[in-house]
Amino acid sequence: MTARTTPWSVRGVPTPDALDADDWLLRGGVEALNESRIDTWGNTDHTQTVDDYRAWLADQRFAAKACLVAVRDDADGMPDPARVLGFATLHLPLTDNTHTAEVDVAVRPPSRRAGIGTALHTAVLDQVRAAGRTHVIASTDQRVEPGPGPTSLVPATGQGLVDRRLPGVRLALKHHYALEQVGRFSVLDLPLDESALAGFEAGAAAAAGADYRTISWEGSCPERWVSEFAALLAQMSTDAPRGGLEIEEEAWGAARVQAMQDELFRSRRQYRATAAEHVPSGRLVAFTSFECPAHTPEYVDQDDTLVLPEHRGHRLGMLVKAVNLRSLAQARPEVRRVGTWNAEENAHMLAINAALGFRAAGGSGEWQLRLG
């Protein structure tokens, strides 16, 4: 019996220092990813650029990273990005969580249901097993959270629902991933009413009192605060609800903060943060941040927000968010939407977002595969 062959093949994308000759592979992969995300969301807010992935691949000190593509095997073999039908990424932490691997697979919508997603996933999983990892983590997105019913899945947390008919969900179920958590995506439409925002900031500042003050920066964290900022990022890695995902605290220090900032700079994304200092101790005890992508002036990602447990109850989450929003409005008045993600069980942060005016706009499924 002759083995069935496919009109496409899976191959690795070269590392950035050897990428120029095969740049079309990465460009085609990013095109495939973006077509998939536009199909999911109905807009370009969540698309990415080739520079994003060049920057992501460039520094492998804290994680081993790789991209794979499924390429149509045309007879002429010309280097055409349109030949790339699917894209997969692999992220293997090296300084913490060395039992885990994070994977992502995307296929151009017209090329789905042809085995491309499964082939990419199999190739990625081969690398995961070769690295000795035992837990694989993946995410799927949805534009609308479904209601209860036979086509909806409930995560291990019992909070939120995922539509089992979506392409990414079908792939996850096919390969026996467990749905550990559902995330909510929320959007804040800008510009905000200035008096309302000032009221949020003033009310939170009054509740915080004189023991706390805010510090904001754009781009790199001021040198004085790097070690404090690193400690907050480490805490953030386990403080946010993770459902059944078996994730350990991340190891952050000055070098890793610098690596994060370098990646943002290389990809031309802007970073804006506001932190709260506990004046009596001189420590940073809360922060929030924005990532402003390069591909659009209208959309911004609300990234991490954290208040250390011992400093909660002073409305510091609202304070840093309100100050950062005011800073964003002043620096980038063209922004029209801020998007943020929260676990469905994170009622406190969801309540802060709702008070500011965020509205539910879709979500995600967080999946885990335990390898035998």
Side-chain angles (χ1 to χ4, degrees), residues 227-240 242 248-253 256-257 287 304 306 308:
S227 62
E228 293 282 326
F229 185 43
L232 290 176
L233 291 169
Q235 179 84 17
M236 184 73 212
S237 65
T238 55
D239 190 82
R242 298 296 184 182
E248 303 166 353
E249 183 174 296
E250 294 175 355
W252 281 87
R256 190 165 180 176
V257 170
F287 85 107
D304 297 329
L306 170 74
L308 294 181

Side-chain angles (χ1 to χ4, degrees), residues 96-276:
D96 52 62
N97 288 287
T98 53
H99 63 294
T100 67
E102 298 170 28
V103 305
D104 186 38
V105 177
V107 179
R108 295 186 195 257
S111 299
R112 290 173 180 162
R113 294 184 177 271
I116 294 170
T118 290
L120 285 166
H121 181 265
T122 299
V124 168
L125 224 57
D126 286 344
Q127 296 190 27
V128 171
R129 290 193 174 96
R133 305 300 166 105
T134 58
H135 291 67
V136 186
I137 296 169
S139 295
T140 58
D141 292 343
Q142 56 188 16
R143 195 186 313 185
V144 178
E145 183 172 319
T151 60
S152 297
L153 296 171
V154 181
T157 62
Q159 301 291 316
L161 296 166
V162 163
D163 190 336
R164 67 164 60 241
R165 297 168 296 181
L166 297 174
V169 175
R170 292 199 307 266
L171 185 66
L173 292 173
K174 177 180 179 180
H175 295 285
H176 310 294
Y177 282 76
L179 180 60
E180 303 288 6
Q181 187 182 55
V182 170
R184 183 188 303 179
F185 179 65
S186 304
V187 171
L188 178 66
D189 296 307
L190 300 182
L192 288 178
D193 180 87
E194 292 184 11
S195 62
L197 184 58
F200 287 130
E201 183 178 343
D211 280 353
Y212 299 93
R213 70 182 183 100
T214 59
I215 300 153
S216 298
W217 67 86
E218 179 179 354
S220 297
C221 176
E223 185 175 354
R224 174 187 172 187
W225 300 112
V226 168
S227 62
E228 293 282 326
F229 185 43
L232 290 176
L233 291 169
Q235 179 84 17
M236 184 73 212
S237 65
T238 55
D239 190 82
R242 298 296 184 182
L245 298 175
E246 297 179 39
I247 299 174
E248 303 166 353
E249 183 174 296
E250 294 175 355
W252 281 87
R256 190 165 180 176
V257 170
Q258 187 62 54
M260 178 187 77
Q261 294 172 162
D262 289 346
E263 180 180 331
L264 290 166
F265 177 78
R266 285 193 297 266
S267 63
R268 298 185 296 116
R269 285 175 287 165
Q270 293 183 353
Y271 188 82
R272 307 188 67 85
T274 293

Side-chain angles (χ1 to χ4, degrees), residues 59-84:
D59 191 335
Q60 306 259 347
R61 287 176 295 166
F62 301 98
K65 308 164 192 174
C67 297
L68 292 86
V69 289
V71 183
R72 190 177 65 238
D73 295 323
D74 290 2
D76 60 17
M78 294 298 291
D80 181 1
R83 289 176 53 203
V84 179

